[in-house]
Amino acid sequence: MFVKRTIGITEPPPLSGESCWIVEAKACFWEDTMSSWSMPSMTTDLMMVVAKENLQAHIEEELEKEAMKGLIKPLQVWVASAGTNVCYHLIPLLLSGEVFGMHTEISLTLFDREKMENCLKALVMEIEDLASPILRSVSFCTKTGDAFLQAQVIIILDDSTDEEVYTLESCLRSRVPLCRLYGCLMEKNAHESVKVIVGGKTFVNLKTALLMQYAPNIAHNIIAVALGVEGQAKARVARKMKTTSSSIKDVIIWGNISGNNYVDLRKAKVYNYDSAIWGPPGYYHSVLSSIFDSEWVKKEFVMILQNLSSTGREFGGILAAHSIATTLKYWYHGSPPGEIVSLGIMSEGQFGIPEGVVFSMPVKFENGTWVVLTDLEDISLSTRIINRLTDDLIQEKLVAFGDLLTFQPVQEEPKEEIIHSNIELVEEKEQAGSDDSEGKTEDLQYFQPDQI
């Protein structure tokens, strides 16, 4: 038959308004086929009219889609120091749809120094190859004057430098010019509601404080990421308890995120823990009540974390990127209900911390902002601990501005004295009738005195 010999399509011709062939040869094919079957057929001229109508309807529909797309402005996201390794791990997370949502399109701009241009070009091509459905556009910028133009989200990564830095003091001072530049550019070019998030493993609190100083109009929207250190602490606790890191919740990081901090396990919980006592979904055990090795908590755990903090080991691109992406996700969509999140923000005197110091403390995210959890019970810090933590942060800033020539680490106080005072604190609260049973949300815990 003619049908088999030519194309073999036996379905009826398309109706008006549907997709249709506009090639006249195919129109003739249908006309000949229908007449050979003694069936009523659409003439070639009529099919061409329908085809033109369909084509016009399709063009108008596409133009309407483009117009609607133009009305929906994408979220302007800028990444500073985009040539660093962390950025390669961060971009896929930002474009996954989990951070800003699958219905929020992103216009991504990578910013770095001019000598990083070739690296940025290659990165742009890789990002385009991802074919992310939420990526409207991706570009790079090496011109300082154009940095952060109309930015709604700015991610500050650890800056790379070719300059050799031989001392801690010179390293601190080298942060000031760059933060001054970034702060001024944010004030000048960024959107008035811009969200700025500072991540990395070097002088995170200091960089956040400097950006706040040089960009005072947006200082309330500048935060420092502490989830990386929190994740390291959870991992060490999970290994000790032979469980998973995701089962550990509510570890609090106090103080200097990338320096002298205090990892607080008093509110820490472990879920789905394989122990003699089990409960319904959502049931948990107190971490400190479940670790039957106080020496490990007071000494080995503290020393491990201090070593990780001072050397930056195991804080690579994956952990830094995940910490930034998770913090952004919480900022936009809220943190898990009832969960404590550590965040570096400007102190307003909460918990007895001096005002004007960028300090990591417990918060929760809700309604596009964060709330400091000042209503938590039994998490007050002693004056001794607060002074030790804030002294380092204040010294960092003084050295950075040249008001102090050398950085003087705080001298360690006798550990036995601190341990003794904290044990007395626990005993007093136990006598007052505190409930230290399993599964309670407000279990009595104790300080880790060596973790300073």
Side-chain angles (χ1 to χ4, degrees):
M1 284 182 62
F2 177 72
V3 176
K4 293 182 178 179
R5 185 174 66 250
T6 309
I7 296 181
I9 302 176
T10 57
E11 51 188 309
L15 301 175
S16 177
E18 297 179 348
S19 60
C20 160
W21 300 281
I22 61 174
V23 180
E24 186 173 358
K26 292 185 177 180
C28 294
F29 161 75
W30 276 112
E31 187 175 350
D32 293 341
T33 302
M34 294 298 106
S35 58
S36 67
W37 286 348
S38 299
M39 296 176 62
S41 63
M42 184 184 296
T43 65
T44 300
D45 291 340
L46 181 57
M47 290 190 70
M48 294 301 295
V49 170
V50 173
K52 290 179 181 179
E53 291 178 355
N54 288 342
L55 178 61
Q56 183 62 31
H58 175 72
I59 293 174
E60 291 177 357
E61 183 180 359
E62 290 299 313
L63 290 175
E64 184 178 355
K65 286 182 180 179
E66 288 297 321
M68 292 297 295
K69 192 174 181 180
L71 293 176
I72 303 174
K73 295 183 179 179
L75 185 69
Q76 300 291 330
V77 179
W78 284 69
V79 181
S81 299
T84 57
N85 181 50
V86 177
C87 189
Y88 284 81
H89 299 282
L90 178 63
I91 297 303
L93 299 177
L94 297 179
L95 300 183
S96 66
E98 294 186 4
V99 177
F100 303 108
M102 286 302 298
H103 300 291
T104 301
E105 290 190 326
I106 296 174
S107 179
L108 182 64
T109 306
L110 311 176
F111 176 65
D112 213 321
R113 297 166 297 162
E114 288 187 10
K115 60 172 58 181
M116 300 296 293
E117 183 171 337
N118 290 334
C119 176
L120 296 181
K121 285 182 179 179
L123 184 54
V124 166
M125 294 180 64
E126 284 194 66
I127 294 171
E128 291 173 339
D129 292 343
L130 290 176
S132 171
I134 66 171
L135 180 64
R136 174 77 70 86
S137 65
V138 57
S139 59
F140 69 90
C141 175
T142 57
K143 295 182 179 179
T144 303
D146 297 334
F148 313 131
L149 195 62
Q150 293 302 309
Q152 294 169 284
V153 176
I154 299 176
I155 302 171
I156 307 294
L157 304 178
D158 282 331
D159 55 291
S160 57
T161 177
D162 295 331
E163 298 179 5
E164 293 186 359
V165 180
Y166 296 99
T167 65
L168 172 62
E169 288 76 14
S170 58
C171 191
L172 287 167
R173 295 184 185 110
S174 68
R175 266 53 186 177
V176 176
L178 186 63
C179 290
R180 182 190 297 117
L181 175 63
Y182 281 0
C184 294
L185 290 171
M186 290 175 190
E187 285 274 296
K188 177 182 176 183
N189 296 339
H191 192 275
E192 59 182 6
S193 62
V194 64
K195 293 178 169 64
V196 182
I197 184 166
V198 182
K201 59 182 180 181
T202 57
F203 307 113
V204 176
N205 295 58
L206 174 64
K207 289 187 291 187
T208 304
L210 293 174
L211 290 173
M212 290 178 176
Q213 178 172 333
Y214 292 116
N217 292 328
I218 60 173
H220 61 284
N221 264 358
I222 303 177
I223 61 175
V225 178
L227 289 185
V229 181
E230 187 178 310
Q232 289 180 321
K234 290 178 178 178
R236 268 63 199 174
V237 171
R239 290 178 188 175
K240 180 65 176 178
M241 302 183 70
K242 294 181 173 57
T243 186
T244 60
S245 301
S246 61
S247 300
I248 309 297
K249 305 291 184 183
D250 298 347
V251 174
I252 302 174
I253 308 299
W254 298 93
N256 193 343
I257 297 167
S258 52
N260 188 16
N261 52 51
Y262 181 98
V263 181
D264 191 347
L265 298 181
R266 286 174 294 166
K267 290 295 179 182
K269 308 177 181 70
V270 55
Y271 291 81
N272 305 316
Y273 187 49
D274 187 10
S275 68
I277 302 176
W278 282 74
Y283 183 82
Y284 64 85
H285 296 269
S286 162
V287 165
L288 288 179
S289 296
S290 302
I291 298 179
F292 303 104
D293 188 351
S294 60
E295 288 301 309
W296 180 86
V297 174
K298 295 175 182 177
K299 296 181 180 180
E300 185 177 344
F301 175 67
V302 174
M303 294 304 298
I304 290 173
L305 294 179
Q306 285 180 344
N307 185 47
L308 291 176
S309 178
S310 61
T311 62
R313 287 191 304 109
E314 300 185 27
F315 200 99
I318 295 177
L319 179 58
H322 182 267
S323 303
I324 293 169
T326 303
T327 304
L328 271 174
K329 176 183 176 181
Y330 290 169
W331 202 345
Y332 273 85
H333 305 292
S335 54
E339 189 169 320
I340 300 173
V341 179
S342 300
L343 184 70
I345 57 176
M346 183 65 75
S347 169
E348 297 178 354
Q350 305 97 327
F351 307 107
I353 302 166
E355 295 184 19
V357 177
V358 175
F359 204 93
S360 178
M361 60 184 73
V363 305
K364 66 177 179 180
F365 285 91
E366 60 181 11
N367 301 322
T369 187
W370 61 87
V371 178
V372 181
L373 298 177
T374 55
D375 57 344
L376 291 176
E377 297 180 6
D378 300 323
I379 64 164
S380 60
L381 298 177
S382 68
T383 304
R384 180 190 294 110
I385 294 175
I386 292 176
N387 289 342
R388 292 177 62 79
L389 296 177
T390 55
D391 185 78
D392 270 10
L393 293 169
I394 293 172
Q395 276 200 77
E396 282 187 357
K397 195 170 183 179
L398 290 174
V399 172
F401 282 109
D403 297 328
L404 189 64
L405 295 180
T406 58
F407 185 89
Q408 298 292 335
V410 179
Q411 295 298 319
E412 292 286 345
E413 297 183 9
K415 297 178 181 178
E416 296 166 354
E417 178 185 344
I418 303 175
I419 293 173
H420 180 68
S421 63
N422 284 315
I423 291 175
E424 287 181 345
L425 176 63
V426 173
E427 291 175 348
E428 289 175 3
K429 291 186 176 180
E430 286 177 345
Q431 292 172 0
S434 297
D435 184 4
D436 62 351
S437 61
E438 301 282 354
K440 300 295 182 180
T441 56
E442 299 297 337
D443 286 337
L444 172 64
Q445 306 301 351
Y446 57 89
F447 283 103
Q448 302 148 52
D450 293 344
Q451 194 162 349
I452 300 174

